[in-house]
Amino acid sequence: MTETYKVQRWTSRSIVSTALIAALQFALLAAPFVFSANVVDHLTTLFVYVVLAITWNALAGYGGLVSVGQQLFFGFGAYGAIRLSQAGVPVYAALALGGVGSAVLALIVSSFMLKLRAGEFAIGMWVLAALVQLLVSLDPIIQGATGTSLLALNSFAPAARRADTYWFGLVAMAGVALLLFLLLRSRLGAAMQAIRDNEEAARSVGVRVQLAKRIMFVLAALGAGMAGAVWLATSISFQPNTYFGVQWTAYMIFMTLVGGIGTFEGPILGAVLFFAVEAAFGAEGVWYLIGIGAAAVGFALLLPQGIWGWMERRYALRLLPVGYVLKLQGVDAGRQHGFARRSVPPPPAAMRISEQS
């Protein structure tokens, strides 16, 4: 029987799942009117984790830029919000602009940080985060390690502040996720994956490597900065040691590895799982952190593609497609199903069409 091929991005399953996810996000707007204050606070925390996971995955899983210093942008987003609020900017506008400030900082430091590669880039980002933390601590407003508070939020009634912060976090999460989704489906997203796999080969076929890396770097910083601003709105207080702590990047790595690096859905699943584990075992202190670290190592060794990556390969499950699949037509159902589980091999050109290597 003659075999033909069909390149496909959207399927009936992915169309339905994308529509349901969009509907869920709109439904979540009503949460402050429906759920208790405790549930609303927990959902806001989950939004922060989702943003952190998907942006680190975009940077490392799709762009090949493994950073252990993303706490730089998380902390700077919160610091920028403090500074702008003290300058008289309305508080929620200050929070949003604080996240944008992290993107501006990333644009500046990308001019020299993106010249580093692999381990040099990872460690360099860590060092840069520590340096910025020290500089922020020297700001008289911050009062060193003591920190300060976003005092403008105290003028809001607790219920109103909780609801406004929740909506701010929801919009930030949905906006960053949509921006990433569209970018990864574009030519730039394909170029980033080509750079991840072989930077020299991508450059040789005309990919503007530095520009593509800079855009992804800035976008990841924007997400981390918005997450830091949302976290500040939930806690009000700001201490440099907390906001610039490397544990934030450790959380990002854990969520991405467990969910599935290089997939769009995986980090979202990883964020949900991390949130559930933290809610159940966070009070255990150091043992909780040891368990998180051990789980991350275990997944890296035993299930390197993560939970969603394994499900995607095993069952050809694609809910939010950012790449393409190649399907055989005119073959029996058993062979069709078996072929669909495998990733499409990348073409020799820079513009990859597979979702992950």
Side-chain angles (χ1 to χ4, degrees), residues 213-263:
K213 290 168 70 173
R214 179 168 291 183
I215 292 174
M216 188 65 77
F217 185 69
V218 170
L219 182 55
L222 173 65
M226 294 302 295
V230 176
W231 193 266
L232 175 64
T234 61
S235 63
I236 299 181
S237 62
F238 173 85
Q239 292 85 30
N241 291 341
T242 298
Y243 281 78
F244 287 94
V246 73
Q247 75 273 8
W248 292 108
T249 297
Y251 295 162
M252 299 180 210
I253 295 173
F254 174 84
M255 291 184 286
T256 304
L257 287 180
V258 169
I261 190 169
T263 66

Side-chain angles (χ1 to χ4, degrees), residues 159-194:
R161 182 177 69 212
R162 179 176 292 106
D164 289 345
T165 299
Y166 170 88
W167 287 320
F168 178 72
L170 176 61
V171 170
M173 180 195 68
V176 170
L178 178 61
L179 188 59
L180 276 176
F181 184 69
L182 296 176
L183 183 146
L184 291 172
R185 290 167 57 90
S186 70
R187 294 172 62 88
L188 178 62
M192 283 304 304
Q193 293 176 72

Side-chain angles (χ1 to χ4, degrees), residues 12-23:
S12 56
R13 176 190 294 168
S14 63
I15 291 173
V16 171
S17 61
T18 302
L20 289 175
I21 290 172

Side-chain angles (χ1 to χ4, degrees), residues 32-58:
F33 304 111
V34 177
F35 299 120
S36 66
N38 186 54
V39 171
V40 171
D41 288 340
H42 278 76
L43 285 174
T44 307
T45 300
L46 177 59
F47 299 157
V48 171
Y49 291 160
V50 169
V51 172
L52 292 176
I54 62 176
T55 52
W56 194 88
N57 175 66

